[in-house]
Amino acid sequence: MDFNRRTAMAAGLGAMVAGGGSTARAAAPMTVTVTVQGESAVRTNIPVVRDRRAAGGRYLRLRTEGKPPARTGWYATYSVRAPRAGVYALTAVATAPVETPHTEAVASYLHLSVNDGPFCEIARSQPHWYESPPAWGDLSRLDLGTVELRDGTNTLTFRVTEPTVLDTTTAYVLSLDRFTLRHLDGHPALRELSVPRHREGEPARLRLTLDGHATRAHRVRYVVSDHHGRRVTAGHAALAAGDLSATVPLPALPPGHYRVEADGVTGRFARLPARLAVTGPAARFGVNVWASSLVPPSRLADFASALRDMGAGWVRDGQSWPAVEPLPGVHDTGHHDRRTRTLRAHGLAVLDVLSPAPEWAMTDASLPLPADLRHAYRYARRLAAAAPEALQLSNEPDVDTTRSTGDAHAAFVKAAALGIKDAAREPCLVVLPGIAQTGPFQDLMLANDIVRYADGWAFHGYPDPTEPGEPRFPGAADEQHELARRHEADIPLWMTECGAFQKARPGADLTPAQEIEQARYVVRSMVEGLAAGNDRQFWFAGPPLHDDGVYFGLLDRDFLPLPAYSAFAALTSLLGAAHFTGPAPLLPDGVQGFVFDSGRGEQVTVVWSERPVRLDRCPARTAYDIMGRRLPAGQPVTASRDPLYFTSAAPPAASPRALARPRARLSPAEHIVLAQRFPARNAAPGKQDGDAPPPHGYRLGRRTRMTVDVYNFDDTAHRVTVSARPVGGGWIVRAGQGQRETSIRVPAGGRAGVNFTLLAGSSVPRRIDRRLAFRATVDDHAEVPATVALIHRG
């Protein structure tokens, strides 16, 4: 039995009666509710604990890093007496498997078996769990779907076999206070309409599934409509008494997105273009997934397949450093590695993101980075040894809630990058942190010469949610490319997050109008990003994702494709290699056009317009709509807000794009990393989500002592000479006994500190940032990349 789909359930729970740890009573005529206490299992290997907040003063509580028994898992079996046979809505007071607005606590995903049947994961999506109301403590009131029970005694077994990622470890977790079964009158009823993914030219079959075995024969009428709501086909399906499902063939349909409706139930499916997209590392397109938080384990393989079929060659994922390394040198990447293997087995290239450091590695002054950068080096080196295609060295450090500075983060980036590049002869790609917005934090990182350590420059860009009308592609790409040119950064730029803020109604998906708006923006943002010069574009996000009233995913809360999924598939199928060659010429006023070389001997032009404009001169031999449906030849074509594609024969690109490759091994001098270290009392002001006014640097007094840490990540010892550059503006920097420079010997893999004193003269104004820079050379006088910070008199 499949428990994974959402079902309608009346609000309110009745009280209860009798037998084997369960009680039940009629809450109203013809309505029966059965409640079972979590601690009343007839068989379990999960501990029972006391808590006066629990319904019976006790509840089931599992939290262990120990592996579950191989045959049973961590389980609890209950005997439930049902007053009548039928379909029951199942709810529970328990921990949700994802974070909710009222708690960050998470649990493992539950598997359920009814009457010794097969176990099925309750694999509902993040939006479903996110909306669970609070119960008590970290427990929520969870809707677990429906089950079919027989009259009399039934057994229900809950099982946990997969760990979940906690703050500082990976563990098996479940808290269960009680669960409730409520008989649903008028059921069995239609629960799900599904059409497996398929391509143009392949057969399509509609499967209608009930939430229980039919008690009588009946016919179901269904209607299929396209993404505009126009009916494209309809029919009937017959179910005999005792049937659980029926399957009927659908007629041939063009590529696109379709909705199917019957008996108040809605399903969705995508008919994919026949032509395959470019996949794997060569692809330009990707999606953010955060699989451990957003994709139930039992869905991961199909989810990965869906992304590949959509044409996403890359996925951006991540793992928790505190959970992977709970103690120094004690690593457990097994949970994440299994996810990565599944993603890669389906042809997806993986961009992994380094998370903030474990608590044991940080100090108040270093948060969210390790105080000793050798931890960053070793951790990144270990991650790189697993050979993901690329590693990104943190996410939006410029807008986090800490007081970390651009110079500190630059030193962290250098150490982590060296760990990655030293991991193998052909290491994975090193991608700079995903920057949320240009500003002083990124400027300071770049002043610290981090680009030489990287193979990709990353940034994020979202439309302004306060602007009226449909989302517009932000100026972030142009800003970042201009910044890269100014710093002579000859590396590819990746937009590792781009998406739109779409308000979602509680308990519901996007409206049809929002769905079309999202589909348009998927195409337009990807096209405009590549036209701006981005090497790769990552949509945020692929899985169903609801956050504080905003919906981001390309799949709905039942993991079914939204129109944006089909639009993404059409884009990747038609653009192929997606080599941007320039703007489209000779278009009417108000029409935007972008020309690409597909790598297949074709030129593909993508056009749209904010108002309808007839195109009398079509720049192509063949035209396609936003979903990849081929338009009739010889008929007039109108540009609108829905992008159109025009294809025509063209010679191959003169200079086809080469795949990004890791740079050569860094020199011994580049293996020396300088990091400025100040006491916690001199910490910089908070970043205020990236919008803090100046000053941004360390807050110093008239006389401040600080240290320049010198890290040697080379495999031989080096003598390093460190000196301060003049600060000016009334500031004086002294080393040791007043010298301007100091030489120290740093062993291989070691760290040494050089102490300096900063003096603020009486002429130094308050709250005005100045740059404090230190340079260094190694034994052969080779120059070490400098460290540059901001300081001000507080």
Side-chain angles (χ1 to χ4, degrees):
M1 185 181 294
D2 182 357
F3 303 102
N4 297 340
R5 299 295 178 198
R6 187 167 58 126
T7 58
M9 187 182 79
L13 300 175
M16 327 171 184
V17 207
S22 64
T23 55
R25 73 180 170 100
M30 304 301 293
T31 300
V32 170
T33 305
V34 179
T35 292
V36 182
Q37 300 301 323
E39 68 273 18
S40 66
V42 294
R43 295 183 302 278
T44 186
N45 57 8
I46 298 176
V48 173
V49 298
R50 296 183 179 276
D51 194 307
R52 68 182 64 183
R53 296 172 296 178
R58 299 186 301 164
Y59 69 107
L60 221 58
R61 185 177 186 273
L62 172 70
R63 183 187 170 109
T64 180
E65 297 174 33
K67 299 293 184 183
R71 189 175 63 84
T72 64
W74 300 111
Y75 79 98
T77 298
Y78 298 88
S79 178
V80 179
R81 184 171 181 80
R84 68 177 70 163
V87 177
Y88 288 73
L90 175 62
T91 60
V93 172
T95 37
V98 304
E99 292 183 7
T100 64
H102 60 272
T103 178
E104 295 180 356
V106 296
S108 301
Y109 278 89
L110 278 172
H111 291 74
L112 176 62
S113 168
V114 178
N115 292 326
D116 299 321
F119 279 96
C120 293
E121 186 177 72
I122 303 175
R124 310 193 110 181
S125 65
Q126 183 268 355
H128 176 87
W129 303 117
Y130 183 83
E131 295 162 356
S132 302
W136 57 267
D138 291 329
L139 279 66
S140 306
R141 300 183 188 278
L142 306 180
D143 173 4
L144 303 182
T146 60
V147 294
E148 186 177 17
L149 301 181
R150 60 198 178 204
D151 186 8
T153 301
N154 297 261
T155 60
L156 272 68
T157 301
F158 296 99
R159 185 178 73 174
V160 168
T161 60
E162 285 279 342
T164 190
V165 179
L166 305 179
D167 289 339
T168 60
T169 188
T170 300
Y172 301 85
V173 180
L174 170 66
S175 293
L176 175 61
D177 181 8
R178 62 187 183 274
F179 63 90
T180 301
L181 294 147
R182 180 176 178 274
H183 184 265
L184 296 176
D185 294 329
H187 289 247
L190 187 64
R191 177 171 58 89
E192 179 182 12
L193 298 164
S194 61
V195 179
R197 280 189 314 281
H198 61 285
R199 296 193 175 275
E200 185 181 21
E202 298 175 349
R205 302 184 69 83
L206 169 63
R207 184 177 179 85
L208 304 90
T209 305
L210 305 178
D211 55 15
H213 292 82
T215 56
R216 57 178 178 80
H218 65 282
R219 282 162 56 87
V220 177
R221 175 173 169 76
Y222 62 86
V223 175
V224 180
S225 56
D226 66 12
H227 68 285
H228 286 300
R230 297 175 298 221
R231 192 172 85 167
V232 296
T233 190
H236 290 85
L239 291 102
D243 284 351
L244 191 61
S245 63
T247 302
V248 295
L250 293 177
L253 297 169
H257 177 268
Y258 296 93
R259 294 167 63 96
V260 55
E261 296 175 290
D263 288 358
V265 177
T266 299
R268 308 169 186 267
F269 66 95
R271 187 165 172 85
L272 300 167
R275 177 180 284 180
L276 299 177
V278 175
T279 57
R284 286 191 180 271
F285 304 103
V287 293
N288 286 262
V289 298
W290 308 117
S292 65
S293 299
L294 301 178
V295 184
S298 66
R299 290 190 182 272
L300 184 59
D302 185 68
F303 172 74
S305 178
L307 295 187
R308 178 203 60 209
D309 291 346
M310 184 185 72
W314 284 82
V315 290
R316 182 169 178 254
D317 199 22
Q319 59 185 309
S320 165
W321 183 356
V324 167
E325 192 178 9
L327 296 171
V330 178
H331 296 91
D332 181 8
T333 61
H335 184 62
H336 180 74
D337 291 346
R338 288 193 296 273
R339 295 199 314 272
T340 299
R341 283 195 296 270
T342 300
L343 295 168
R344 297 182 72 186
H346 287 81
L348 300 171
V350 176
L351 169 62
D352 258 342
V353 183
L354 269 67
S355 81
E359 187 173 344
W360 57 259
M362 295 187 294
T363 63
D364 289 343
S366 73
L367 182 81
L369 305 172
D372 187 334
L373 296 181
R374 289 173 292 184
H375 294 308
Y377 175 90
R378 288 190 286 263
Y379 178 65
R381 184 167 184 165
R382 182 175 181 90
L383 294 187
E389 281 69 23
L391 276 167
Q392 187 169 14
L393 304 181
S394 76
N395 180 63
E396 298 189 350
D398 56 321
V399 295
D400 66 22
T401 58
T402 71
R403 292 188 286 177
S404 64
T405 55
D407 61 291
H409 211 86
F412 165 79
V413 165
K414 293 174 185 177
L418 287 166
I420 294 167
K421 291 184 177 296
D422 290 349
R425 186 179 296 274
E426 290 288 334
C428 65
L429 300 175
V430 173
V431 181
L432 292 176
I435 293 295
Q437 57 196 48
T438 55
F441 188 96
Q442 186 183 19
D443 290 340
L444 196 54
M445 286 182 62
L446 294 170
N448 279 268
D449 204 5
I450 59 171
V451 174
R452 70 168 72 194
Y453 290 84
D455 308 302
W457 170 311
F459 66 98
H460 301 161
Y462 291 89
D464 183 348
T466 65
E467 284 191 356
E470 295 199 8
R472 294 191 298 174
F473 191 66
D478 290 338
E479 293 169 359
Q480 291 287 332
H481 281 273
E482 173 57 30
L483 194 59
R485 285 190 291 270
R486 200 157 65 239
H487 284 267
E488 299 180 348
D490 185 23
I491 59 174
L493 271 68
W494 293 18
M495 197 171 193
T496 52
E497 283 187 25
C498 103
F501 298 94
Q502 307 233 243
K503 290 291 185 181
R505 298 162 296 164
D509 290 311
L510 302 175
T511 65
Q514 287 176 309
E515 291 177 359
I516 298 302
E517 185 177 289
Q518 183 195 43
R520 291 179 184 135
Y521 190 69
V522 162
V523 176
R524 293 167 67 156
S525 63
M526 294 286 172
V527 167
E528 291 194 69
L530 295 182
N534 296 342
D535 190 65
R536 289 184 174 87
Q537 286 282 129
F538 288 74
W539 178 262
F540 189 90
L545 174 58
H546 181 269
D547 184 23
D548 195 23
V550 178
Y551 194 89
F552 291 102
L554 297 176
L555 305 176
D556 72 7
R557 64 182 50 232
D558 291 325
F559 281 89
L560 299 176
L562 291 169
Y565 175 94
S566 296
F568 196 118
L571 170 78
T572 58
S573 170
L574 289 164
L575 259 56
H579 176 66
F580 178 66
T581 60
L586 305 175
L587 291 175
D589 290 344
V591 179
Q592 298 186 69
F594 305 85
V595 182
F596 293 84
D597 188 299
S598 71
R600 303 167 177 145
E602 283 180 328
Q603 177 177 281
V604 184
T605 303
V606 190
V607 303
W608 62 78
S609 174
E610 294 305 316
R611 59 180 179 83
V613 177
R614 179 166 170 167
L615 301 177
D616 295 320
R617 297 180 58 186
C618 293
R621 65 184 184 195
T622 310
Y624 300 85
D625 72 5
I626 186 175
M627 297 297 170
R629 178 176 66 93
R630 185 169 179 169
L631 301 179
Q635 295 188 9
V637 177
T638 298
S640 70
R641 288 182 295 173
D642 286 358
L644 296 172
Y645 302 88
F646 299 95
T647 65
S648 58
S655 53
R657 175 175 62 100
L659 291 177
R661 296 188 63 81
R663 295 187 171 193
R665 191 178 190 275
L666 294 163
S667 69
E670 291 168 320
H671 274 70
I672 305 297
V673 175
L674 306 179
Q676 300 186 38
R677 177 161 51 90
F678 289 83
R681 64 178 176 273
N682 299 124
K687 294 195 281 286
Q688 297 179 16
D689 199 27
D691 296 322
H696 300 107
Y698 298 102
R699 184 186 293 114
L700 309 187
R702 294 290 298 272
R703 180 187 181 92
T704 304
R705 290 176 177 165
M706 55 83 66
T707 301
V708 176
D709 286 328
V710 183
Y711 293 88
N712 177 12
F713 294 110
D714 201 16
D715 52 11
T716 59
H718 289 286
R719 178 158 290 279
V720 182
T721 301
V722 182
S723 61
R725 293 176 179 169
V727 178
W731 287 94
I732 298 174
V733 186
R734 292 177 180 165
Q737 302 300 316
Q739 310 105 313
R740 293 181 57 84
E741 62 181 36
T742 300
S743 292
I744 54 171
R745 182 181 182 278
V746 189
R751 176 183 68 172
V754 180
N755 296 322
F756 288 86
T757 301
L758 278 65
L759 302 174
S762 59
S763 63
V764 173
R766 293 182 182 274
R767 299 180 58 78
I768 301 296
D769 282 326
R770 300 284 297 192
R771 285 197 170 188
L772 173 65
F774 294 89
R775 63 181 294 273
T777 56
V778 291
D779 332 65
D780 60 357
H781 304 293
E783 185 123 357
V784 171
T787 172
V788 183
L790 294 177
I791 58 171
H792 67 272
R793 184 181 171 193

